[in-house]
Amino acid sequence: MLGQWALRVAAWGALAFLMLPILVVIPLSFNAEPFFSFTSGMLRLDPDAYSTKWYDAVFASGSWMMAIRNSLVIGVCSTVIATVLGTVAAVGLASADMPWRRPITAVLLAPMIVPLIIVAAGMFFFYTRFNLVATFSGIIIAHATLGVPFVVMTVTATLSGFDRSLYHAGLNLGASPLRAFLDVVVPVIRPGVISGALLAFVTSFDEVVLVLFLAGPEQNTIPRRMFSGLREQINPSILAVATLLILMSICLLLALELLRRRSERIKAGR
């Protein structure tokens, strides 16, 4: 019993150590003064010490709105590409007849393993040959490359408990391979596909290294705008954007948890 309580205390302590520096950003984003620290009025919980003006400044700024729009467009487009390619790859790799499964899996997961700075440098020199540097298409392809491994892993994990005899039964009943895949396989792997898509979107939305190497002024994204703001002109608007990103991350984590539970229920046949 004592060991269990010690483990719980250590786990909660580690969680608090990791989360408190992130959560402290939220109250600071409502600071009425242009400071990155708590004022005496905030510590006294004086209402006049709090303000939403930094959120208003974000939505009134043309540069911030362009960064938000670019991040959403690049994130959605790269997520769609990564989800389609990753799902097809995972389904193919799940087949026992697939040759060279291990080498292909290693190649697909390489962007997750290789240091991102090396990936960014390699893509930069490769893109210069095809005039893809400082283009939206180049950034989307690069972000899709980073998102594919997440889709492959989640869909592969979902397929690990799939009974392929169900697919063959659909074929024996007269369904075409496409119809059997859509009606039998897709409902089973849907939680894994959605989970992988969410992870790919978060990866794209949060990525800054590739953007620093490959993007031009017109492809400015939220992480790059925050990075530039911290280096050139410190403004509490960054804290407001960080708070919005934290809330978005919490919503995505809740969605992933619901999908995980749904996937477990499907595997259990409930």
Side-chain angles (χ1 to χ4, degrees):
M1 182 65 69
L2 181 61
Q4 292 180 356
W5 278 104
L7 180 60
R8 291 180 181 179
V9 171
W12 282 106
L15 181 62
F17 180 79
L18 294 173
M19 293 302 298
L20 285 179
I22 299 175
L23 297 179
V24 76
V25 171
I26 298 177
L28 284 176
S29 67
F30 294 97
N31 192 350
E33 302 295 333
F35 304 137
F36 275 57
S37 61
F38 290 96
T39 63
S40 58
M42 294 182 69
L43 296 176
R44 295 195 308 269
L45 300 181
D46 183 1
D48 294 333
Y50 294 87
S51 173
T52 60
K53 65 179 182 180
W54 305 119
Y55 291 89
D56 297 334
V58 169
F59 292 106
S61 171
S63 60
W64 274 116
M65 293 307 297
M66 182 184 72
I68 294 173
R69 182 175 62 253
N70 289 344
S71 292
L72 290 174
V73 171
I74 294 173
V76 171
C77 293
S78 62
T79 298
V80 171
I81 296 173
T83 302
V84 173
L85 296 179
T87 301
V88 173
V91 172
L93 292 172
S95 176
D97 300 329
M98 180 71 181
W100 306 98
R101 292 173 61 186
R102 293 184 182 275
I104 294 175
T105 302
V107 171
L108 291 175
L109 299 182
M112 184 184 295
I113 302 171
V114 177
L116 197 55
I117 188 71
I118 298 177
V119 176
M123 284 188 173
F124 175 78
F125 290 111
F126 179 76
Y127 277 15
T128 54
R129 296 178 177 270
F130 301 95
N131 296 323
L132 289 174
V133 177
T135 63
F136 280 101
S137 57
I139 298 295
I140 291 172
I141 295 172
H143 284 196
T145 303
L146 296 181
V148 166
F150 294 98
V151 180
V152 171
M153 287 196 307
T154 56
V155 176
T156 300
T158 307
L159 284 171
S160 62
F162 176 66
D163 186 1
R164 298 188 65 85
S165 63
L166 298 176
Y167 173 76
H168 295 295
L171 296 178
N172 293 333
L173 292 174
S176 64
L178 178 60
R179 175 56 60 187
F181 176 78
L182 294 176
D183 292 345
V184 179
V185 181
V186 170
V188 176
I189 67 174
R190 186 181 293 120
V193 173
I194 299 176
S195 299
L198 290 176
L199 291 173
F201 178 79
V202 171
T203 301
S204 172
F205 209 82
D206 186 55
E207 207 288 315
V208 65
V209 178
L210 285 177
V211 176
L212 291 175
F213 272 80
L214 304 177
E218 297 299 322
Q219 293 81 42
N220 199 17
T221 60
I222 293 177
R224 183 181 180 183
R225 180 71 177 80
M226 296 177 70
F227 182 81
S228 301
L230 290 173
R231 291 186 58 191
E232 301 169 3
Q233 181 182 4
I234 296 179
N235 190 304
S237 298
I238 297 175
L239 299 178
V241 176
T243 300
L244 295 175
L245 293 178
I246 291 172
L247 295 177
M248 184 190 74
S249 300
I250 292 174
C251 293
L252 291 177
L253 287 174
L254 292 175
L256 286 173
E257 178 62 18
L258 293 175
L259 289 170
R260 184 188 67 81
R261 294 184 179 183
R262 184 175 184 274
S263 179
E264 289 182 351
R265 290 196 300 267
I266 292 176
K267 289 182 179 181
R270 291 179 293 177

